[in-house]
Amino acid sequence: MAFTHGSATFVRPHLFGERPKLTDPLTQVVGLLQPDLSFAKLVEAAGTWRIRRAADGRAFFFAALEGAVRLDISGHAPLLIESGDFVLIPAAYDFTSSSVSDLPSTARDSLPVEIRPNVFRLGDQLDEPSVRMLVGSCGFGSPDAGLLVSLLPSLIHARGEPRLTTLIQMAVEESRGGRAGRDVVLARLMEVLFIEALRSSGPHHPSGILRGLSDEKVAGAIRAIHEQPSATWDVPRLAKTAAMSRSAFFERFRHTVGMAPMEYLLHWRMVLAKRSLEEGKLAVAEIARKVGYSSASTFSVAFSRHVGATPTMYARRQLFENEPAGDPQRHHEPASAFG
């Protein structure tokens, strides 16, 4: 921070909380997703049991408080979830959770029984429970949730991160309370929960923004895009930010992020453009400049190809829609802990 006295200018060191604001791509993605807690339940289980979750595409989280559970998700090897583990599936479809001791193949799926408010029981209803878990789901407020979720890992399994469970418990308590500022606190808790879960194992995923941010050279290009989305980026210029040759950078970016550099740039610009159109504060020409297009007509052509509607049509449609297009089930709460 600078201040002037007479003809001299002095620069004061930044105090705590006054550091320059830095662009964090992961925080931006999670913030734009707008995760919103849909429901959370405590589930107890004893004996042998199996439960299947129907497809709905919402984010599902699972915190093991006691005991062990087998989790079978399409496209992944079976997971053994043990006490203290945390699982996050950003876009959950059909999957099965069950006791470690398998049920006979002819056995029926278990039906959860609510034994107390927001507490469900699986398996043997009389025996002392050997498994306790906190399960839940959240929706996304963003109409572009599909694209943003595609940048995240399809599955996160964190171990040794007790604060993730603490964050869930805090979010559940806040959601059931009626204190002032509830919505703001809950929104921030869910964002922090997602960020903590995502960064807990980012470098180990095959591709996506987490893998890209764990690569020093690719991360520089991603941050540059997020810091200056309106800049005239092309592959050579982005390669220069990564201090790499054009061909080496292109392949490295595509391999780590899962899409080509210019494809990522286009997607990110469209996400920002949609957000600006939804807010309704800027004219189309201003939004075009903000996301890196030289004219409103050029921007309109790119937007129409990507979204399937002109910017003006999109803005009008958002104005009259009551529910966010990215998550029509955002406010639906299933009848049981497993949908």
Side-chain angles (χ1 to χ4, degrees):
M1 178 178 293
F3 63 96
T4 303
H5 179 70
S7 60
T9 299
F10 301 87
V11 178
R12 188 178 71 183
H14 290 289
L15 300 177
F16 182 77
E18 295 182 340
R19 295 185 180 92
K21 183 178 180 180
L22 300 178
T23 302
D24 180 352
L26 181 57
T27 300
Q28 282 188 317
V29 169
V30 173
L32 287 172
L33 270 172
Q34 302 171 52
D36 179 21
L37 185 67
S38 296
F39 78 97
K41 315 286 187 192
L42 178 66
V43 179
E44 300 178 347
T48 56
W49 54 275
R50 180 179 61 222
I51 192 85
R52 301 179 196 273
R53 183 173 175 82
D56 63 13
R58 288 182 297 172
F60 181 85
F61 56 80
F62 182 113
L65 307 179
E66 181 182 339
V69 176
R70 174 188 168 111
L71 194 61
D72 290 282
I73 306 172
S74 178
H76 297 272
L79 282 176
L80 179 64
I81 311 301
E82 298 178 298
S83 179
D85 286 8
F86 177 84
V87 172
L88 172 64
I89 312 172
Y93 291 95
D94 295 330
F95 63 92
T96 302
S97 53
S98 61
S99 55
V100 176
S101 300
D102 290 334
L103 283 170
S105 58
T106 56
R108 294 182 178 181
D109 291 344
S110 305
L111 292 175
V113 177
E114 189 169 15
I115 57 175
R116 296 187 301 278
N118 296 308
V119 179
F120 289 78
R121 187 68 180 268
L122 291 169
D124 192 323
Q125 298 293 313
L126 301 177
D127 200 5
E128 183 69 19
S130 58
V131 170
R132 288 187 174 87
M133 48 193 171
L134 190 63
V135 301
S137 176
C138 75
F140 297 123
S142 172
D144 215 29
L147 168 62
L148 293 166
V149 168
S150 73
L151 300 175
L152 305 178
S154 60
L155 171 69
I156 289 175
H157 180 195
R159 283 182 165 157
E161 299 287 346
R163 58 184 174 177
L164 289 171
T165 301
T166 300
L167 284 167
I168 292 177
Q169 291 171 329
M170 291 174 65
V172 171
E173 291 173 5
E174 190 67 33
S175 69
R176 294 174 183 167
R179 292 180 292 180
R182 169 188 174 277
D183 291 345
V184 174
V185 172
L186 189 57
R188 296 298 174 265
L189 280 172
M190 292 307 297
E191 288 182 4
V192 172
L193 172 65
F194 259 72
I195 292 170
E196 284 289 341
L198 291 168
R199 70 183 185 181
S200 66
S201 53
H204 307 295
H205 296 287
S207 65
I209 192 171
L210 295 178
R211 179 72 183 274
L213 292 175
S214 69
D215 183 305
E216 182 179 351
K217 292 185 178 295
V218 172
I222 293 175
R223 290 195 178 94
I225 289 172
H226 283 248
E227 287 170 2
Q228 295 180 290
S230 62
T232 54
W233 296 113
D234 55 19
V235 172
R237 187 176 177 186
L238 287 171
K240 188 174 181 180
T241 69
M244 298 178 68
S245 69
R246 175 178 175 174
S247 58
F249 167 74
F250 181 89
E251 288 302 321
R252 189 158 171 171
F253 192 102
R254 186 179 60 81
H255 176 72
T256 56
V257 179
M259 62 179 68
M262 300 311 290
E263 183 182 2
Y264 183 90
L265 173 64
L266 172 63
H267 284 326
W268 185 244
R269 282 175 168 173
M270 292 300 107
V271 168
L272 298 179
K274 285 182 176 181
R275 172 54 59 87
S276 293
L277 288 167
E278 291 155 23
E279 291 174 347
K281 297 178 181 179
L282 300 177
V284 172
E286 293 176 289
I287 295 173
R289 289 192 295 271
K290 181 180 176 182
V291 297
Y293 289 87
S294 58
S295 68
S297 59
T298 304
F299 165 66
S300 294
V301 170
F303 189 90
S304 298
R305 287 177 179 172
H306 185 83
V307 178
T310 66
T312 302
M313 290 172 58
Y314 179 85
R316 288 174 180 169
R317 186 173 65 196
Q318 294 301 309
L319 181 64
F320 290 105
E321 285 184 356
N322 294 323
E323 283 290 328
D327 188 5
Q329 296 178 324
R330 179 180 176 187
H331 300 294
H332 168 69
E333 179 169 343
S336 79
F338 292 89

